[in-house]
Amino acid sequence: EDDADLCDAFAEYLELNGCVVTTVSSGMGFYQALAKDITGFHVAIIDLGLPDQRGNVLIDYARQNSHMSIITITANDGVDTRIEAYQSGSDLFLSKPIDSRELLAAVVAMSNRFMERQSAASVENEAITKPWYLDAGRRQLCTPTGEIVQLNPQEAMVCNLFCEAGTNTVERKQLLELIYHRDDESSQRALDNMVRRLRIKITEVSPSLSPILTAYSLGYSFSEPLKAV
């Protein structure tokens, strides 16, 4: 939230009611906060009208790279605005002016559900010991529990780079050169759309969060063990 007075008021109210709050006034501040401790946040409250980045971009980033719940706030509560926020990954939309009590109730409820999901995921992870597998010849990505994700040629090339990189980040420049043989606005957009579609394919067969993570402005990484067969 870039309105300092409103941000301070919300933070003070939440903290007085037992919440631990981190405040930032820009998109860059949001990325920096997540870079320090992306797994430590239960709920993100994101204003759509930030000075340096559209709020929907931050919502999409948080949804693709974390398990946190997302509350969108804005003074523009038109139907199209709400739909776009939900399509970006928002869990709840609140229009200004916002009652602090309602915001607190939403944060507490979402935080409780976050902890329940994390507990369930911990049990699931303990039961899963197998890595992901990539069969480049058949263009198939196999989840640890045996589900198959059928890949197109470009997706297979990306996954092969993930195999080679381990859990390290594969730079955008490397991906663009391999797939499109150029680096321009069109290829940048095509790469992001391709990765988005691949994430959707994975989550359609695997209920857990996609292991493909975005390293902001750098590239992408595969957060779990991935082996070629």
Side-chain angles (χ1 to χ4, degrees), residues 18-91:
C19 299
V20 178
V21 180
T22 297
T23 62
V24 296
S25 60
S26 65
M28 182 55 64
F30 180 79
Y31 293 127
Q32 291 171 342
L34 292 190
K36 292 178 181 178
D37 187 16
I38 197 167
T39 62
F41 295 102
H42 295 192
V43 182
I45 304 171
I46 300 176
D47 182 16
L48 292 183
L50 295 173
D52 62 338
Q53 182 78 83
R54 293 180 65 245
N56 286 313
V57 176
L58 304 185
I59 293 169
D60 180 70
Y61 181 86
R63 176 58 61 229
Q64 298 296 345
N65 291 278
S66 76
H67 292 277
M68 72 177 72
S69 298
I70 302 169
I71 300 174
T72 300
I73 61 175
T74 184
N76 178 8
D77 64 348
V79 173
D80 290 341
T81 302
R82 294 198 299 272
I83 290 174
E84 186 177 7
Y86 286 126
Q87 289 176 337
S88 297
S90 181
D91 297 294

Side-chain angles (χ1 to χ4, degrees), residues 23 31 53-55 60 76 81 93 101 103 115 121 123 131-132 138 151 153 163 186-187 190 206 211 216:
T23 62
Y31 293 127
Q53 182 78 83
R54 293 180 65 245
D60 180 70
N76 178 8
T81 302
F93 189 101
R101 297 170 300 170
L103 182 62
M115 289 186 288
V123 172
W132 293 65
R138 297 179 179 178
L151 307 173
C163 274
S186 175
S187 61
S206 177
Y216 178 66

Side-chain angles (χ1 to χ4, degrees), residues 28-221:
M28 182 55 64
F30 180 79
Y31 293 127
Q32 291 171 342
L34 292 190
K36 292 178 181 178
D37 187 16
I38 197 167
T39 62
F41 295 102
H42 295 192
V43 182
I45 304 171
I46 300 176
D47 182 16
L48 292 183
L50 295 173
D52 62 338
Q53 182 78 83
R54 293 180 65 245
N56 286 313
V57 176
L58 304 185
I59 293 169
D60 180 70
Y61 181 86
R63 176 58 61 229
Q64 298 296 345
N65 291 278
S66 76
H67 292 277
M68 72 177 72
S69 298
I70 302 169
I71 300 174
T72 300
I73 61 175
T74 184
N76 178 8
D77 64 348
V79 173
D80 290 341
T81 302
R82 294 198 299 272
I83 290 174
E84 186 177 7
Y86 286 126
Q87 289 176 337
S88 297
S90 181
D91 297 294
L92 179 65
F93 189 101
L94 297 177
S95 57
K96 299 177 182 178
I98 300 168
D99 190 305
S100 296
R101 297 170 300 170
E102 182 181 8
L103 182 62
L104 173 64
V107 168
V108 171
M110 289 183 173
S111 179
N112 289 339
R113 287 197 290 272
F114 172 91
M115 289 186 288
E116 290 172 359
R117 291 196 303 270
Q118 291 299 92
S119 178
S122 178
V123 172
E124 181 180 346
N125 288 337
E126 289 178 2
I128 297 174
T129 58
K130 295 181 180 179
W132 293 65
Y133 288 99
L134 172 66
D135 186 334
R138 297 179 179 178
R139 299 206 301 268
Q140 291 180 339
L141 182 66
C142 181
T143 74
T145 51
E147 294 85 3
I148 299 297
V149 180
Q150 194 66 48
L151 307 173
N152 64 33
Q154 292 179 340
E155 293 165 348
M157 285 190 290
V158 170
C159 288
N160 190 56
L161 285 181
F162 287 148
C163 274
E164 296 174 354
T167 57
N168 296 320
T169 298
V170 179
E171 294 185 0
R172 294 180 65 87
K173 182 178 180 180
Q174 183 179 4
L175 290 166
L176 291 166
E177 178 62 29
L178 175 68
I179 300 172
Y180 305 108
H181 309 294
R182 66 183 192 279
D183 183 355
D184 53 26
E185 183 178 351
S186 175
S187 61
Q188 292 270 1
R189 188 166 53 252
L191 174 63
D192 291 335
N193 288 335
M194 187 268 290
V195 172
R196 184 193 298 270
R197 289 193 296 271
L198 178 55
R199 282 173 169 150
I200 292 173
K201 280 187 178 182
I202 292 173
T203 55
E204 283 177 346
V205 302
S206 177
S208 58
L209 187 71
S210 167
I212 300 176
L213 302 183
T214 301
Y216 178 66
S217 79
L218 296 177
Y220 299 95
S221 64

